[in-house]
Amino acid sequence: MSGDGGSPGQQHGGGQPYGPGAHGPGTQGPGGGPGYWPGYGQPGGHPHGGWGQSPWGAVPVAPKPGVLPLRPLAFGEMFSAVFDTVRRYTGALYLPLAAVTGVLAVPMVVVAVLLAGRLGDAYNALPDTSRGEEPTGDQLWALGWPLLVVFGLILLLGIVQYVIAGPLATVVLRAATLGRRMTAGQAWKEARPRLGAAVASMALLYGPLLVLNVLLVGLAVGLGTVTGSVPLFLLLLLLSAAIGVAGVYAVVRLAPQVPVLVLEDSTPKAAIGRAWQLNRGNWWRSFGLTALVTAIGRVAAGVISYPLSIALSVLVPLSSVDFEGESARLQLSHGTMTAVLVGYSLLVLFGTLATGPLVPLVNGVLYIDRRIRNERLDIALAEAAGIHFAEAYGYPQAAPSAPAQPASAQPAPSAPVPPQPGAPAEPGTAAEPSAGEGPAGR
């Protein structure tokens, strides 16, 4: 079938019926359902039915006021909508996130500068392995703990970026779906009130998974070291891996969590339950779209940052190579290590900034698709955009029939018979003037 999605009532996309009367489970009528978006109130249904309704059962092309056609979405349409939103609303998406990233970069640069000297000294103190010398545990720890602090801080700042990008991308997608303009200031103003709820929602999702995995890995290492029991060690590692797999399933299943939180003004706990129910039977589709968009985004960010990484490698001067005997060993000064550490950290932050809005946009598109399929959100969105489905594409409307007139009790008057020339006129009627005569009194 063509891109119009098929005739009303056909199976489309995920095998979900749509068309007039094709309401999914839990729906409350056209455009309704548990979520009250758009308008932050109960959206009304269109009196003429749903998408694709016409007097002859023909199917018009779905309206597309913004980046999404208002009908059940195909995989390629959802993929295109993500990057169309990035292209059309670049400023609204990235300017607030870039400002936040700039603020977050300050403590990261400070920490990198403070630890660069220690890291450089620890690296220079390592023995030459080419001569058969092995580093001690203290030497490895002196090298490792500054790196752990820097990488941990980068990870924490990346999480902060992701949490902020969630509500920000959702409010931008709301405007992009209806084809409305949005500035960076408007996007930040609408997203800011939901940041606290987004933090709580992410903590409810990722917190238990992280705690369980840390406990199991720590328990496995501790018991394996103390008891020396290899089977117990492997069992705990397998349990940790199983929890990780379950966590991946839960995260993908709860993809619409932040859109529910923002667009339906829900609480964090209620958003988790609503997202779990809304995304039922859509796991592989959600996983595939998220993985594809993430991979393409990272490739694009890598292509952009590649010249910066080349420039960063040039910062290591050749004069820092120390020739000792037959081997050449790199000796890093404090200045060189500081430049390398700060540059690498900023490069990682730039990559997370470039790809930060992509996954939240995927989650928002999945949310809209699920609500269109199950709750007829397309009708409410079309009404919010000022579009009426049946009359937007030249399909004639059924004109309202005029009320029937009551039949008269008297017979209809017959047509008047012109009088014959010379015949006397009937009493009470005026004689017809002959040709050439004007009206009486002239």
Side-chain angles (χ1 to χ4, degrees):
M1 196 67 186
S2 62
D4 57 12
S7 59
Q10 277 188 318
Q11 303 292 325
H12 181 86
Q16 297 289 338
Y18 66 98
H23 307 301
T27 180
Q28 298 177 5
Y36 301 139
W37 173 67
Y40 301 102
Q42 176 65 37
H46 195 279
H48 297 295
W51 180 87
Q53 178 69 11
S54 73
W56 304 283
V59 182
V61 177
K64 189 179 180 181
V67 297
L68 289 171
L70 301 184
R71 58 170 169 77
L73 303 173
F75 187 90
E77 291 168 337
M78 293 192 290
F79 176 83
S80 299
V82 172
F83 292 101
D84 283 348
T85 305
V86 171
R87 178 176 57 85
R88 298 185 191 184
Y89 296 84
T90 305
L93 276 173
Y94 283 103
L95 288 181
L97 199 58
V100 172
T101 303
V103 174
L104 297 176
V106 174
M108 188 196 66
V109 170
V110 171
V111 171
V113 170
L114 292 177
L115 295 180
R118 294 176 180 269
L119 188 61
D121 292 340
Y123 176 81
N124 294 331
L126 291 176
D128 189 359
T129 56
S130 63
R131 298 179 179 180
E133 302 176 358
E134 296 295 333
T136 64
D138 291 339
Q139 289 174 329
L140 292 177
W141 175 247
L143 181 67
W145 76 262
L147 292 176
L148 288 176
V149 172
V150 173
F151 290 155
L153 184 59
I154 291 175
L155 178 61
L156 179 62
L157 297 184
I159 293 174
V160 173
Q161 282 181 318
Y162 180 77
V163 171
I164 294 176
L168 183 66
T170 302
V171 298
V172 171
L173 182 62
R174 175 170 60 190
T177 302
L178 299 177
R180 295 175 179 172
R181 296 173 57 87
M182 174 165 281
T183 64
Q186 291 172 336
W188 178 249
K189 183 178 180 181
E190 293 185 19
R192 186 174 56 188
R194 304 304 294 164
L195 291 179
V199 172
S201 181
M202 293 292 103
L204 288 176
L205 173 59
Y206 291 100
L209 297 174
L210 181 62
V211 170
L212 283 175
N213 271 291
V214 170
L215 287 177
L216 284 175
V217 171
L219 190 61
V221 173
L223 291 178
T225 303
V226 173
T227 64
S229 175
V230 176
L232 181 59
F233 175 77
L234 294 178
L235 177 62
L236 291 175
L237 286 184
L238 287 176
L239 287 176
S240 178
I243 292 177
V245 172
V248 171
Y249 175 82
V251 169
V252 174
R253 176 73 180 266
L254 294 174
Q257 177 181 354
V258 173
V260 169
L261 191 75
V262 174
L263 299 178
E264 300 182 12
D265 200 19
S266 177
T267 63
K269 185 177 179 180
I272 291 178
R274 165 86 164 131
W276 186 269
Q277 183 274 334
L278 192 64
N279 209 28
R280 179 188 296 133
N282 199 46
W283 193 90
W284 285 109
R285 186 179 173 94
S286 302
F287 175 78
L289 184 63
T290 302
L292 181 61
V293 170
T294 301
I296 292 179
R298 288 185 177 178
V299 168
V303 170
I304 296 174
S305 62
Y306 182 74
L308 299 177
S309 62
I310 294 297
L312 185 62
S313 64
V314 177
L315 292 176
V316 182
L318 294 177
S319 59
S320 61
V321 179
D322 182 23
F323 292 92
E324 298 178 358
E326 298 180 354
S327 64
R329 189 167 180 273
L330 186 66
Q331 297 290 318
L332 297 179
S333 65
H334 287 187
T336 301
M337 179 59 74
T338 301
V340 170
L341 197 59
V342 171
Y344 175 78
S345 302
L346 292 178
L347 201 61
V348 173
L349 271 188
F350 169 77
T352 56
L353 169 65
T355 59
L358 296 182
V359 172
L361 285 175
V362 169
N363 297 339
V365 172
L366 288 168
Y367 165 82
I368 294 174
D369 176 65
R370 298 309 295 170
R371 286 204 60 188
I372 287 177
R373 291 174 182 272
N374 297 332
E375 300 171 3
R376 302 312 310 275
L377 183 66
D378 49 349
I379 302 174
L381 290 174
E383 291 178 349
I387 298 172
H388 296 293
F389 280 94
E391 62 190 37
Y393 308 97
Y395 283 85
Q397 300 298 298
S401 57
Q405 298 293 334
S408 176
Q410 298 180 356
S414 60
V417 180
Q420 297 295 329
E426 296 182 3
T429 61
E432 182 78 17
S434 60
E437 293 185 0
R442 182 175 177 180

